[in-house]
Amino acid sequence: MTSTREITESDSRATRLQALEVQVCQARDDLAYAAANADIGYALSTTEQLATLLQHTLQELACLAGEVSPR
C-alpha cells in the first residue's frame, strides 16, 4: 500500500474521515492490482489493511452519529 499521511487525534473528524477515504480507495486499487496479477500474498495483506481501515471508518462514523444525535 502506498504511504499516506498519518491520522492523529488532533485532526478534526472530517479530516480523519477524508484521510480514511483516501486510504480505503488506495487499498481498493491495491487489491485490484493484486487480483490482476494473481498475487495472493499481496491480496491477503491488502484485504487485512482494508478491513482495518473500514473498522476505523465505522468507529469515526459512530462517534459522529453520537455527536449529531446524542441520546
Side-chain angles (χ1 to χ4, degrees):
M1 186 140 113
T2 306
S3 175
T4 56
R5 169 179 119 51
E6 186 72 23
I7 300 170
T8 66
E9 283 297 317
S10 64
D11 289 336
S12 70
R13 186 155 327 280
T15 300
R16 290 194 299 266
L17 285 169
Q18 287 174 334
L20 285 165
E21 179 184 14
V22 169
Q23 292 174 354
V24 166
C25 288
Q26 182 62 51
R28 178 201 60 205
D29 294 347
D30 288 349
L31 191 54
Y33 173 84
N37 291 287
D39 188 337
I40 301 297
Y42 189 54
L44 289 174
S45 173
T46 301
T47 301
E48 182 179 318
Q49 291 173 5
L50 182 57
T52 300
L53 290 168
L54 292 174
Q55 181 181 22
H56 290 302
T57 302
L58 288 173
Q59 289 169 344
E60 289 293 333
L61 291 172
C63 290
L64 180 61
E67 292 171 3
V68 173
S69 59
R71 294 180 183 222

